[in-house]
Amino acid sequence: MCVESDGCEIEGCSTLDEVRTLSGSMSPALKSNPDLHPCKPGHKFRAALLKCRSPAAAAGILTFGNVLNYMDRYTVVGVLQDIQRHYGVSDSGIGLLQTVFICSFMVAAPIFGYLGDRFNRKVILSCGIFFWSIVTLSSSFISIEYYWLFVLSRGLVGIGESSYSSISPTIIGDLFNNNSRTMMLSVFYLAIPLGSGLGYILGSSAKVAAGDWHWALRVSPALGIMAGTLILLFVPEPKRGAPDQMGYIKTRTSWLCDMKALAKNRSYVFSSLASSSVSFATGAFGMWIPVYLARAQVVQKTAEPCTTKEICSSTDSFIFGAITCVTGLLGVVIGAVTTRLCRQKTERADPLVCAVSMLGSAIFICLIFVVAKKSIIGAYVCIFIGETLLFLNWAITADILMFVVIPTRRATAVAFQSFTSHLLGDAGSPYLIGLISDGLQQSYATSALWRFLSLGYALMLCPFIIVLGGMFFLATALFFLDDREKADKQLSQMTRQPSTVKV
């Protein structure tokens, strides 16, 4: 028998078991006592609920939440041409949607990182999910005269989603260690391409089914409310740094000290700059590639312009979303397996695998703009290979951070890395690509061919940024071992063994 914190006897437990309460604390095992009263029906339900709160279940729920995080983000992109026509805005104007979203996201990230290192993380996550779900639903009712309000709503959604991206990886980092942590983070970051792809598919499918693009924004909020509830019920609040130490952390550093330490951590700085390059490319591609391929088909005379239809064609968004889902799965799995194998050869495997995949991705992304004018299928093949190589590094980058940053400042590190990668990456890239495209269109006579070519020329900036990111990962490899050793030493200095604790 074992005892819950309210003195109730729970059936089916051995005398060596421990019971985790809903607050995340642990009740010590107690032997059976004849004075204990049997559990009431409500207590038995609570005990069954507690048994579901395993690390694997928590990781699964957090991954589900991350899928919704990115699905909600890219649902708008799946109906981008409809939104552009509905509100009557230019390429740069429609690119502003993602820029405002990312700007609010990155500004809020350090704030949530600070809170995540000091307060109950699952409560912050749940509140963030509830907030962005309600705002997304509300934005679907904004009328045609208030495009500025629609843009503002995307900014508010960015604040809510920032809480999730900044904090949830640190909970997984505190539930697992070593190779199991790498695998769980790989599954967690699989949600980025999977959720993004599902966002395209959901947006285009809901629009076609309802005959109105507004319904694309009315599906994911219900799933978000469900995810927030699951996090509150089934995700524990693990002790920070528990898998990385045998003792207890006896000191905590200030936020200013954390920031100074992160600025001096060369592996962290270079990997964050590399993440910025990835964010720049994925932000621009996610926003503009479906539009680019739709314009390519107009040039090839295999499709009609969007202006001649009641609702715009969703074929390219649907196919691009499906490709993103598959390449995300392949990329994360290949990245995890490749890194594990390469670690047997070199301890610098993590940043080296990222560097090679980035450089290879740049080649195939360049080829997209070479073949798109003649062959849409050829363009899709290049997208498939290029995205697979690009997605290899997402989970590995998170694991690099876990190796070189001590547990008590990981939420801050994740948040600040998110801030810098968005600031230098996808905060500006969708708007910048749209601005370049608009500038090129104004310089020459506007035609279907030139609208296609101008957007392609603007997107050609992305492969060069990806190559730059590969260089940053190579720089990370130079300092990775030293920074990992420093983190291990600092962690050992901050901990003490349980036997040394005075009663």
Side-chain angles (χ1 to χ4, degrees), residues 89 211 243 261 277 308 325 383 458 492:
V89 294
S277 301
T308 63
C325 289
I383 291 172
S492 64

PDB file of all heavy atoms in Angstrom, residues 89 211 243 261 277 308 325 383 458 492:
ATOM      1  N   VAL A  89      -4.039  44.084 -50.323  1.00  0.00           N
ATOM      2  CA  VAL A  89      -2.717  44.577 -49.942  1.00  0.00           C
ATOM      3  C   VAL A  89      -1.652  44.030 -50.887  1.00  0.00           C
ATOM      4  O   VAL A  89      -1.862  43.040 -51.591  1.00  0.00           O
ATOM      5  CB  VAL A  89      -2.378  44.184 -48.487  1.00  0.00           C
ATOM      6  CG1 VAL A  89      -3.303  44.892 -47.521  1.00  0.00           C
ATOM      7  CG2 VAL A  89      -2.472  42.677 -48.280  1.00  0.00           C
ATOM      8  N   GLY A 211     -15.818  26.933 -48.139  1.00  0.00           N
ATOM      9  CA  GLY A 211     -15.974  27.942 -49.179  1.00  0.00           C
ATOM     10  C   GLY A 211     -15.663  29.343 -48.706  1.00  0.00           C
ATOM     11  O   GLY A 211     -16.034  30.333 -49.339  1.00  0.00           O
ATOM     12  N   PRO A 243      18.030  15.587 -14.006  1.00  0.00           N
ATOM     13  CA  PRO A 243      18.743  14.501 -14.676  1.00  0.00           C
ATOM     14  C   PRO A 243      20.249  14.727 -14.782  1.00  0.00           C
ATOM     15  O   PRO A 243      21.000  13.793 -15.049  1.00  0.00           O
ATOM     16  CB  PRO A 243      18.123  14.481 -16.088  1.00  0.00           C
ATOM     17  CG  PRO A 243      16.896  15.300 -16.007  1.00  0.00           C
ATOM     18  CD  PRO A 243      17.163  16.295 -14.944  1.00  0.00           C
ATOM     19  N   ALA A 261      26.925  35.379 -18.754  1.00  0.00           N
ATOM     20  CA  ALA A 261      27.502  34.055 -18.987  1.00  0.00           C
ATOM     21  C   ALA A 261      27.150  33.548 -20.383  1.00  0.00           C
ATOM     22  O   ALA A 261      27.997  32.957 -21.075  1.00  0.00           O
ATOM     23  CB  ALA A 261      27.004  33.077 -17.928  1.00  0.00           C
ATOM     24  N   SER A 277      20.040  32.002 -39.176  1.00  0.00           N
ATOM     25  CA  SER A 277      20.083  31.747 -40.612  1.00  0.00           C
ATOM     26  C   SER A 277      18.986  30.773 -41.026  1.00  0.00           C
ATOM     27  O   SER A 277      18.329  30.955 -42.060  1.00  0.00           O
ATOM     28  CB  SER A 277      21.458  31.180 -41.001  1.00  0.00           C
ATOM     29  OG  SER A 277      22.487  32.070 -40.651  1.00  0.00           O
ATOM     30  N   THR A 308      -9.090  35.728 -60.877  1.00  0.00           N
ATOM     31  CA  THR A 308     -10.230  35.314 -61.715  1.00  0.00           C
ATOM     32  C   THR A 308     -11.130  34.303 -61.020  1.00  0.00           C
ATOM     33  O   THR A 308     -12.095  33.836 -61.613  1.00  0.00           O
ATOM     34  CB  THR A 308      -9.714  34.712 -63.035  1.00  0.00           C
ATOM     35  OG1 THR A 308      -8.956  33.519 -62.746  1.00  0.00           O
ATOM     36  CG2 THR A 308      -8.827  35.700 -63.781  1.00  0.00           C
ATOM     37  N   CYS A 325       5.619  18.167 -43.944  1.00  0.00           N
ATOM     38  CA  CYS A 325       5.400  17.135 -42.925  1.00  0.00           C
ATOM     39  C   CYS A 325       6.368  15.963 -43.111  1.00  0.00           C
ATOM     40  O   CYS A 325       7.010  15.508 -42.154  1.00  0.00           O
ATOM     41  CB  CYS A 325       3.966  16.623 -42.995  1.00  0.00           C
ATOM     42  SG  CYS A 325       2.709  17.795 -42.431  1.00  0.00           S
ATOM     43  N   ILE A 383      12.698  21.026 -53.501  1.00  0.00           N
ATOM     44  CA  ILE A 383      12.170  21.446 -52.198  1.00  0.00           C
ATOM     45  C   ILE A 383      12.250  20.295 -51.198  1.00  0.00           C
ATOM     46  O   ILE A 383      12.648  20.481 -50.039  1.00  0.00           O
ATOM     47  CB  ILE A 383      10.716  21.935 -52.340  1.00  0.00           C
ATOM     48  CG1 ILE A 383      10.670  23.254 -53.110  1.00  0.00           C
ATOM     49  CG2 ILE A 383      10.058  22.100 -50.971  1.00  0.00           C
ATOM     50  CD1 ILE A 383       9.272  23.705 -53.470  1.00  0.00           C
ATOM     51  N   ALA A 458      13.971  37.648 -55.459  1.00  0.00           N
ATOM     52  CA  ALA A 458      13.992  38.019 -54.039  1.00  0.00           C
ATOM     53  C   ALA A 458      14.318  36.811 -53.161  1.00  0.00           C
ATOM     54  O   ALA A 458      15.108  36.903 -52.204  1.00  0.00           O
ATOM     55  CB  ALA A 458      12.648  38.620 -53.643  1.00  0.00           C
ATOM     56  N   SER A 492      28.772  21.188 -11.217  1.00  0.00           N
ATOM     57  CA  SER A 492      29.273  20.460 -10.039  1.00  0.00           C
ATOM     58  C   SER A 492      29.554  21.404  -8.881  1.00  0.00           C
ATOM     59  O   SER A 492      29.392  21.044  -7.712  1.00  0.00           O
ATOM     60  CB  SER A 492      30.533  19.677 -10.404  1.00  0.00           C
ATOM     61  OG  SER A 492      31.585  20.555 -10.764  1.00  0.00           O
TER      62      SER A 492
END
